[in-house]
Amino acid sequence: MKKKFYLVLICCLLMLTAALPAEAAVNAVPSSVKVKVDQKKGAVCAYNIDGANYFKLRDVAMALKGSAKEFNVSWNNTTKSITLTKGQKYRPVGGELSADLPAITSIAPSEAGLILDEVPVELTAYTINGNNYFKLRDLCALLEIGVTYSAEQNQIQLRTDMD
């Protein structure tokens, strides 16, 4: 009787597991897009995920350093959240604007909270190799940065003089 009970229990668990939706694998590939900030060529690398370019948050902050749209990035380990502060000078931590994207060893939707000027916000982001990558258009909208794309030149233009 016990064997039959355990067999039924195992079958039920297997059916339940099969019915649960599997988490879709994230397909990220290095993006070949070039980036300019206010007409100056930037060395900002990105990953393309589902047709959109995702950039490392600290790379974007470094690329905008000294501009009218400058912002600082800090990590709050207690709340596991990223804080962005507009108008504050970016303080580099090292490794920003690396010329090459590393091979992906880990990727998952970001679980970090995001706070802009003390207000929680939600943006799509991925943690890739321990760094947070954000969809560029979402990030630019949040930070009021103009963004355009030229398919002919395969180039993104970030404008700090427009929203």
Side-chain angles (χ1 to χ4, degrees), residues 17-87:
T17 304
L20 294 174
E23 187 172 318
V26 178
N27 184 23
V29 295
S31 176
S32 63
V33 70
K34 297 177 223 79
V35 177
K36 279 191 172 183
V37 177
D38 294 330
Q39 301 300 325
K40 297 175 194 154
K41 186 178 179 189
V44 185
C45 298
Y47 289 104
N48 186 291
I49 301 172
D50 295 329
N53 290 299
Y54 284 75
F55 288 80
K56 187 164 79 172
L57 189 56
R58 289 189 177 276
D59 283 355
V60 175
M62 187 71 155
L64 294 170
K65 186 176 178 184
S67 77
K69 300 293 180 164
E70 180 172 48
F71 65 97
N72 191 38
V73 178
S74 60
W75 172 252
N76 184 324
N77 199 41
T78 304
T79 62
K80 304 292 186 216
S81 61
I82 303 162
T83 301
L84 307 181
T85 309
K86 292 193 299 188

Side-chain angles (χ1 to χ4, degrees), residues 127-149:
T127 302
I128 302 174
N129 298 345
N131 292 295
N132 290 292
Y133 286 75
F134 287 81
K135 189 185 241 182
L136 186 62
R137 284 200 182 272
D138 292 349
L139 192 57
C140 287
L142 181 70
L143 298 170
E144 301 172 330
I145 298 167
V147 60
T148 56
Y149 173 70

